């Protein structure tokens, strides 16, 4: 597949706004590893090679055990590799990203709400919304992994 357009440099004001949006979302989440697991999982679901490549590198740089990175697509079956808080965040990420039923199920929302304060949950949702913005643009323009935006 070939790169279709230099989207982010063509709309620099949008790019800067997206960066600020992402920074604001992550700021209130607290745990940077949790944030990276969430954005990696959403990027995997959206088949965004650019973002998967970047967030895997970020997790490695943060010293996250490689097994936790490798088994993220099957986190539900990965035993104790992920905390209950991480598992709730990952379930919430999948529900918000995929929206297969057209909504986020109450049980998924309640599971996340039990693990996060309202402010933390709002920031988690903001992180998920932000990464989905990145993914959709990057997938559409076929942004190559490792290439500068």
């Amino acid at each position: 597949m070939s790169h279709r357009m230099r989207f982010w440099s063509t709309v620099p004001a949008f790019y800067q706004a997206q960066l600020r949006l992402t920074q604001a979302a992550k700021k209130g989440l607290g745990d940077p590893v949790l944030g990276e697991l969430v954005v990696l999982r959403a990027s995997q679901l959206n088949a965004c090679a650019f973002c998967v490549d970047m967030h895997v590198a970020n997790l490695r740089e943060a010293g996250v055990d490689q097994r936790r990175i490798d088994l993220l697509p099957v986190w539900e079956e990965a035993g104790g590799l992920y905390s209950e808080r991480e598992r709730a965040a990952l379930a919430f990420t999948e529900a918000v990203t995929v929206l297969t039923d057209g909504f986020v199920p109450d049980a998924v929302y309640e599971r996340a709400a039990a693990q996060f304060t309202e402010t933390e949950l709002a920031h988690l949702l903001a992180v998920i919304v932000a990464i989905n913005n990145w993914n959709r643009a990057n997938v559409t323009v076929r942004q190559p992994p490792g290439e500068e935006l």
Side-chain angles (χ1 to χ4, degrees):
M1 294 201 291
S2 62
H3 192 184
R4 291 176 168 161
M5 88 164 66
R6 307 267 326 150
F7 175 71
W8 298 106
S9 61
T10 302
V11 289
F14 184 78
Y15 174 69
Q16 290 302 315
Q18 181 65 29
L19 283 175
R20 287 190 306 277
L21 178 74
T22 301
Q23 291 164 347
K26 285 185 173 182
K27 191 176 198 177
L29 192 54
D31 182 355
V33 169
L34 174 67
E36 285 297 319
L37 289 171
V38 163
V39 296
L40 175 56
R41 185 65 189 124
S43 298
Q44 290 168 337
L45 292 167
N46 288 322
C48 182
F50 177 86
C51 292
V52 167
D53 180 59
M54 179 175 62
H55 296 297
V56 164
N58 290 349
L59 285 163
R60 284 184 183 139
E61 187 176 305
V64 173
D65 183 319
Q66 188 63 45
R67 288 181 69 222
R68 286 172 38 89
I69 298 169
D70 294 343
L71 293 174
L72 189 60
V74 292
W75 63 268
E76 288 181 284
E77 303 299 324
L81 284 179
Y82 305 96
S83 69
E84 184 50 39
R85 183 174 167 91
E86 290 169 336
R87 294 167 69 79
L90 293 168
F92 190 60
T93 300
E94 291 181 358
V96 172
T97 299
V98 178
L99 292 175
T100 55
D101 295 324
F103 57 90
V104 174
D106 290 340
V108 173
Y109 185 88
E110 290 163 8
R111 180 180 183 185
Q115 293 294 320
F116 295 90
T117 67
E118 185 172 341
T119 300
E120 291 170 331
L121 187 57
H123 279 275
L124 176 59
L125 177 57
V127 167
I128 297 165
V129 168
I131 192 60
N132 275 281
N133 283 346
W134 287 109
N135 292 163
R136 279 154 176 71
N138 287 334
V139 168
T140 300
V141 301
R142 296 182 177 156
Q143 182 68 37
E147 190 173 294
E148 191 170 320
L149 297 176

